[in-house]
Amino acid sequence: MTDNLFKRRQLTREEIVDIFFNSDEENFDSEAESDSDEDLPPNLEALDNIEGEETSSTTPVHVLPMSNEADEVNSSSWKATNLFNPPGPGNFDDQLCGVQNPPESPSEVNCFKLFLTEEVVGEIVEETNRYASDLQESEMKGKLVKWFPTNIPEMYTFLVSVLLMGVIKKPSLRDYWSTDPMLLTPFFGSLFSQDRFLLLLRCLHFTNNATAVFNDPLKKIRNVFTALTSSFRRIFVPYRDLCVDESLMKWKGRLAFRQFIPSKRHRFGVKFFVLCDVLTGYVQDMIIYSGSTSDIQHYQGLGISGSVVMTLLAPYLRKGHVLYVDNWYSSPTLFQHLLSLGTGACGTVRANRKGMPTFTCKMAKGEVEFKENGSQLAVKWHDKRDVHVLTTVHPTGMAATGKLDHITGQAKMKPVCVLEYNKKMGAVDKADMMTGFLECTRKSTKWYKKIFFHLLDTVLLNSHIVYRQITGKEITSLQFRTNLMRGLLEEYSTLRCPSKGGRPALDTPLRLTARHFPSEVPQTTSQGSKTRRHCKVCLSSTRKSKQRRLTKYMCVPCNTSLCAVPCFEEYHTLKHY
């Protein structure tokens, strides 16, 4: 009796046919692209749903309806063609493109301060001082006892130190203040003491914990992130071609919205959706993926991937732009919707996307098949594997790549849309590469500090592009960074008095091998001809009792004061003096 109650009803033939031919679900196997056999946490699988079905979440999601002009594309509306040119988005006016309201004197510092203004740095200073006061109230011990409020000039100097660490790589922060002659970099000591720099880094903060929005996962970095991304959009108007792709900032610590992307180099980290200008490589906008609370306006029928594109492109619709995306974003419905809003698109696409046409199953290498539906062109081309491309701006036809087939000796040919896609799709990856060469991002226990330094690298990239656009000078990223740091120090930094204490410097490794001759200690203004220093051997000897003996002689190459007899000989002949 119990078994009969729970027995499943057998489906009729009509119901089975309806499931096969009228189902809205896609048959994409998300596990096929994962290189891990282990089950991922729910937050790491949030974006596996490529069509964007609603996931279980207690947070309400506002879904915006699509325009009536862009209906869902039917897979039966496609037909084969060999001669088709899509109508496209129309003409694009590039007269207003480029840098808006450039500074009167386009120096590296002024271009940098277009983004990281004194107002933004002032807010960071205010929150850092507030957070340091909170720490002192909770635990008044250790280095916190030495804390005194910071200011805007010191914060700019702190940022210069962080940028310089991206050029001079060392395994540990404390190595920048090392007195070992082989590791010595005295310039950092002229900017900050080690304790002050580490204290500033510890207290670095970007929001008021008392007033922050509790439910916002990005509350620790929200104010700075909003200010910087707003400046990205305000300062530069992009050219015709745009590119949307994801970028991954390495992070292996504990974080609710940490993502796993096996195709990326770091695999684990914080995911950014990035909009780039193809011509210049300028980062136009970005969104941090933080789960269901991400800054994404959800559009009905476009899924998560389409909603990401629409959110990033919102200020640039109806202007004739052309967007390049990969197969995670592309779909006939999205491209049709963009076309109705005066925006073209091109990108690789998954063959099983809803609305895609059916192509020939097996094709030989070099074969191509075109299908159109009146406004879009779908291409299947077999190279080393099947490649599916969807476009609303490129015509049918093949074009030479400029390379020769090493077997046949003939020119290699590719579809026009594939050639254009290969040229213009890598803007985001190029931006990641440019920031990766000299990135100032260091290992940190606080995720929001690492995001801030990642944003600092992006600001540096954009300010470099703005500088080249304004001046026309082709300088390298390293030259721009060096000039920027020098300019910021000239404007904000003050000379720091050298410390009088600390550990004694280590001996140079060349003291036992090179040629050494005694010289007199340079005279000081106060002591004159009576200038003396403490002998290094007498002060730190391990063979006899230590003494505090003054001498007027020194070894210039070793920068060490020594008694003429016998300390000078012992220092340069004995390993353990």
Side-chain angles (χ1 to χ4, degrees):
M1 183 70 179
T2 307
D3 294 339
N4 293 334
L5 289 174
F6 294 93
K7 186 176 181 180
R8 296 183 178 180
R9 180 177 64 84
Q10 186 174 3
L11 296 176
T12 64
R13 179 181 177 84
E14 291 75 12
E15 290 173 330
I16 294 175
V17 172
D18 182 67
I19 290 174
F20 271 98
F21 293 98
N22 298 326
S23 174
D24 289 334
E25 296 181 359
E26 279 199 7
N27 239 347
F28 179 74
D29 183 10
S30 62
E31 295 179 358
E33 296 198 357
S34 174
D35 64 350
S36 175
D37 296 329
E38 299 178 0
D39 293 332
L40 296 175
N43 67 297
L44 302 185
E45 297 178 343
L47 291 183
D48 280 347
N49 190 353
I50 61 174
E51 285 298 328
E53 291 87 350
E54 293 183 3
T55 56
S56 58
S57 174
T58 57
T59 306
V61 178
H62 179 56
V63 180
L64 298 179
M66 287 170 50
S67 170
N68 293 330
E69 300 175 12
D71 298 327
E72 232 175 58
V73 177
N74 193 340
S75 59
S76 61
S77 63
W78 298 86
K79 58 182 180 181
T81 182
N82 286 321
L83 186 62
F84 177 72
N85 192 358
N91 296 327
F92 177 78
D93 184 12
D94 60 354
Q95 305 242 336
L96 299 177
C97 296
V99 183
Q100 307 299 303
N101 301 320
E104 295 181 0
S105 56
S107 64
E108 292 87 351
V109 173
N110 289 337
C111 291
F112 179 76
K113 288 169 68 175
L114 287 174
F115 304 95
L116 205 62
T117 62
E118 290 193 359
E119 289 77 12
V120 176
V121 175
E123 184 178 350
I124 297 174
V125 167
E126 181 181 353
E127 299 304 335
T128 299
N129 288 331
R130 179 184 287 114
Y131 183 63
S133 299
D134 295 341
L135 287 177
Q136 285 182 322
E137 291 177 3
S138 59
E139 47 170 333
M140 192 62 173
K141 59 182 181 181
K143 303 298 183 183
L144 280 173
V145 178
K146 298 181 180 180
W147 171 263
F148 56 89
T150 185
N151 51 40
I152 292 177
E154 186 181 38
M155 186 56 66
Y156 270 115
T157 307
F158 172 80
L159 295 179
V160 169
S161 301
V162 173
L163 292 175
L164 187 57
M165 289 175 181
V167 179
I168 304 172
K169 301 285 188 181
K170 292 192 178 185
S172 171
L173 283 176
R174 295 182 182 273
D175 288 340
Y176 290 99
W177 286 268
S178 172
T179 57
D180 189 329
M182 293 189 297
L183 303 177
L184 188 64
T185 46
F187 185 72
F188 288 94
S190 67
L191 299 179
F192 288 104
S193 67
Q194 175 181 282
D195 289 347
R196 180 62 179 174
F197 180 86
L198 295 178
L199 199 55
L200 279 171
L201 184 62
R202 177 185 178 184
C203 298
L204 187 65
H205 215 67
F206 312 103
T207 190
N208 187 352
N209 292 336
T211 60
V213 180
F214 177 75
N215 294 329
D216 183 9
L218 302 176
K219 58 180 178 292
K220 294 285 189 179
I221 195 69
R222 172 66 67 187
N223 295 340
V224 173
F225 179 75
T226 302
L228 293 180
T229 51
S230 298
S231 66
F232 293 166
R233 296 188 296 268
R234 183 183 67 254
I235 291 167
F236 191 87
V237 173
Y239 291 89
R240 178 173 179 262
D241 297 326
L242 298 172
C243 168
V244 171
D245 202 357
E246 58 264 7
S247 173
L248 194 71
M249 185 200 75
K250 183 180 179 181
W251 177 262
K252 290 191 175 182
R254 297 176 63 181
L255 187 61
F257 50 89
R258 187 186 68 168
Q259 289 294 296
F260 171 73
I261 305 179
S263 61
K264 297 294 183 181
R265 176 188 173 190
H266 301 309
R267 297 176 63 225
F268 287 94
V270 178
K271 183 173 183 175
F272 292 79
F273 295 111
V274 184
L275 175 68
C276 273
D277 175 62
V278 172
L279 182 63
T280 61
Y282 183 91
V283 176
Q284 198 68 40
D285 199 0
M286 57 174 58
I287 298 173
I288 300 178
Y289 178 74
S290 57
S292 60
T293 59
S294 300
D295 303 328
I296 301 172
Q297 293 290 338
H298 291 264
Y299 289 76
Q300 184 178 357
L302 294 182
I304 296 177
S305 58
S307 299
V308 169
V309 171
M310 295 301 299
T311 303
L312 289 171
L313 280 183
Y316 311 107
L317 297 174
R318 305 185 190 278
K319 296 182 180 179
H321 286 286
V322 176
L323 176 70
Y324 290 86
V325 289
D326 63 20
N327 61 10
W328 192 79
Y329 306 92
S330 301
S331 70
T333 304
L334 173 64
F335 281 22
Q336 187 67 36
H337 186 52
L338 289 173
L339 189 61
S340 68
L341 297 174
T343 304
C346 175
T348 55
V349 62
R350 293 172 180 174
N352 58 356
R353 280 288 194 188
K354 187 190 297 184
M356 281 292 291
T358 303
F359 290 97
T360 304
C361 293
K362 292 185 178 180
M363 301 174 66
K365 184 175 181 179
E367 288 186 351
V368 64
E369 186 176 357
F370 299 100
K371 291 196 175 183
E372 54 90 7
N373 65 357
S375 58
Q376 303 183 60
L377 177 67
V379 182
K380 179 181 179 181
W381 173 60
H382 188 85
D383 187 28
K384 294 181 180 178
R385 58 182 179 84
D386 288 339
V387 178
H388 295 82
V389 179
L390 195 64
T391 179
T392 60
V393 291
H394 300 110
T396 57
M398 306 290 285
T401 62
K403 298 180 181 179
L404 296 178
D405 192 319
H406 67 280
I407 297 177
T408 64
Q410 297 178 352
K412 288 186 176 181
M413 306 292 287
K414 290 183 180 181
V416 175
C417 56
V418 174
L419 274 178
E420 289 297 304
Y421 176 84
N422 289 340
K423 289 178 184 177
K424 299 176 178 179
M425 182 54 205
V428 175
D429 292 333
K430 184 178 179 181
D432 287 343
M433 179 187 68
M434 294 298 293
T435 57
F437 286 143
L438 300 170
E439 64 179 351
C440 62
T441 307
R442 298 190 66 89
K443 186 176 180 180
S444 174
T445 57
K446 303 294 184 181
W447 61 268
Y448 56 89
K449 292 181 184 178
K450 190 161 187 180
I451 289 182
F452 171 73
F453 292 132
H454 180 76
L455 292 174
L456 185 61
D457 287 326
T458 307
V459 166
L460 208 67
L461 172 68
N462 281 353
S463 55
H464 181 208
I465 293 171
V466 167
Y467 179 78
R468 290 191 304 176
Q469 287 281 305
I470 296 175
T471 62
K473 297 179 181 178
E474 291 295 330
I475 66 172
T476 64
S477 178
L478 177 59
Q479 288 174 328
F480 177 83
R481 182 181 291 233
T482 304
N483 295 341
L484 170 64
M485 292 186 294
R486 185 175 287 109
L488 287 174
L489 290 178
E490 290 174 355
E491 184 174 350
Y492 292 104
S493 183
T494 56
L495 184 63
R496 174 178 172 265
C497 297
S499 59
K500 297 180 180 179
R503 299 176 182 176
L506 298 179
D507 295 326
T508 173
L510 302 179
R511 68 181 177 88
L512 300 176
T513 58
R515 296 165 62 87
H516 304 273
F517 301 96
S519 304
E520 289 191 357
V521 174
Q523 297 182 7
T524 61
T525 306
S526 58
Q527 295 183 355
S529 60
K530 296 183 180 181
T531 302
R532 299 291 187 271
R533 291 183 186 176
H534 289 286
C535 173
K536 177 70 177 290
V537 174
C538 296
L539 192 64
S540 56
S541 175
T542 58
R543 300 170 63 248
K544 54 186 178 181
S545 58
K546 297 183 176 64
Q547 304 177 47
R548 298 178 64 87
R549 182 176 296 170
L550 294 174
T551 178
K552 67 174 183 178
Y553 298 103
M554 68 175 294
C555 177
V556 175
C558 300
N559 193 24
T560 305
S561 53
L562 298 163
C563 296
V565 179
C567 299
F568 194 93
E569 179 183 355
E570 292 178 356
Y571 182 77
H572 292 106
T573 56
L574 300 177
K575 185 174 183 180
H576 304 288
Y577 52 81

